[in-house]
Amino acid sequence: MAQHDIDATDIISRRSITSLISVHSAPVRDGLPDPPMKLGQDIIIEIPPTSAADDEAFVAALVEIINAAYTETEGDIFKPGYLRTSGQDIATLLRSSELAVASQHTSSGGRIPLGCISIQKLGETRAELGLFAVVAELRGNGLGRDLLEFAEQHCLSELGDSGAVVTQLNVLFPKHFEHPFKIRLQKWYMKLGYQIVRHRDFLLDYPQLAPLLTGPTEYRMLEKKLV
């Protein structure tokens, strides 16, 4: 499915999010989360403990962030009413430690989600990134880049022993009109080292979604070899 991140023209002050002060390194094992990437003001990026899947408010907040972001950036690709994900989908990813989340941690030990990216292993040296979303108020300030960096570092720590690691992601492009956001997004990924390796008709892989599309759509697979 398609991924998206920030609109590069939507710049706001970084405010509570400061420069990176520590980097994740250890992989998830035995249901334990990676050491978090700390961004300041109690905002961190981590793979939450699997118990987060049972926190209904946490799951619902992530669903809202993802669906709001995808509706905003793909609302003209899909017909009204289409939702990118569900609570069941997100809970499944959390239970399998396949979702990295940027959160603000509260003094009471709670988490307020600010963004996320899924990380799903496809093979011994390959992983797919998806469900890339950031709350509207924080788009354009670098949080999306930090999430992507965390996901890539996680892939290196999980898969690096097997050889060169490749991350891939897919970006939806309508074929019946020009989509400025998708063009900017593709340029953003390519600036960060991703290259287009395939164009494919979206309906070949997701024919069940045909009634929900506004017109012909393709997805472009982008890859990056991590070092």
Side-chain angles (χ1 to χ4, degrees):
M1 294 293 290
Q3 286 78 48
H4 81 283
D5 183 42
I6 53 177
D7 181 342
T9 64
D10 182 20
I11 305 298
I12 65 173
S13 63
R14 198 166 175 88
R15 293 198 300 242
S16 62
I17 299 182
T18 59
S19 60
L20 182 67
I21 61 176
S22 70
V23 179
H24 138 285
S25 59
V28 172
R29 290 190 177 91
D30 300 326
L32 298 176
D34 288 335
M37 174 186 282
K38 299 179 182 179
L39 302 176
Q41 287 287 327
D42 300 319
I43 296 175
I44 67 173
I45 298 174
E46 63 182 344
I47 294 183
T50 56
S51 59
D54 299 318
D55 184 336
E56 294 182 2
F58 184 74
V59 171
L62 283 169
V63 171
E64 182 177 354
I65 290 170
I66 295 166
N67 284 336
Y70 276 79
T71 296
E72 180 180 346
T73 60
E74 295 186 350
D76 43 5
I77 297 176
F78 290 96
K79 296 176 182 178
Y82 172 74
L83 295 177
R84 178 61 181 84
T85 194
S86 67
Q88 182 177 355
D89 293 339
I90 298 305
T92 297
L93 289 172
L94 289 168
R95 287 193 182 95
S96 58
S97 297
E98 293 181 323
L99 191 70
V101 181
S103 305
Q104 183 165 27
H105 282 217
T106 66
S107 57
S108 61
R111 292 177 174 85
I112 301 173
L114 303 173
C116 64
I117 184 169
S118 64
I119 310 166
Q120 295 182 286
K121 181 178 177 181
L122 299 180
E124 293 302 316
T125 60
R126 181 178 292 269
E128 181 175 25
L129 309 181
L131 290 181
F132 199 177
V134 174
V135 293
E137 296 81 2
L138 295 180
R139 292 179 203 155
N141 70 352
L143 183 56
R145 185 188 295 260
D146 290 338
L147 274 162
L148 183 59
E149 179 181 334
F150 180 95
E152 291 173 351
Q153 290 299 317
H154 176 78
C155 291
L156 279 173
S157 68
E158 283 281 280
L159 305 174
D161 292 341
S162 300
V165 177
V166 175
T167 51
Q168 70 178 56
L169 49 85
N170 301 318
V171 181
L172 279 187
F173 271 83
K175 299 171 70 174
H176 53 301
F177 68 93
E178 187 174 87
H179 199 296
F181 172 80
K182 296 294 186 177
I183 293 172
R184 292 195 301 272
L185 176 60
Q186 178 176 284
K187 289 180 179 178
W188 185 77
Y189 281 131
M190 295 181 73
K191 184 178 179 180
L192 295 178
Y194 284 84
Q195 299 295 325
I196 301 171
V197 296
R198 183 184 304 169
H199 293 244
R200 187 170 174 84
D201 189 330
F202 182 71
L203 293 183
L204 290 177
D205 294 323
Y206 304 98
Q208 71 277 14
L209 295 180
L212 301 178
L213 292 171
T214 60
T217 302
E218 70 173 10
Y219 68 84
R220 299 176 188 177
M221 180 183 292
L222 288 81
E223 290 184 354
K224 179 180 180 179
K225 183 177 291 186
L226 306 180
V227 294

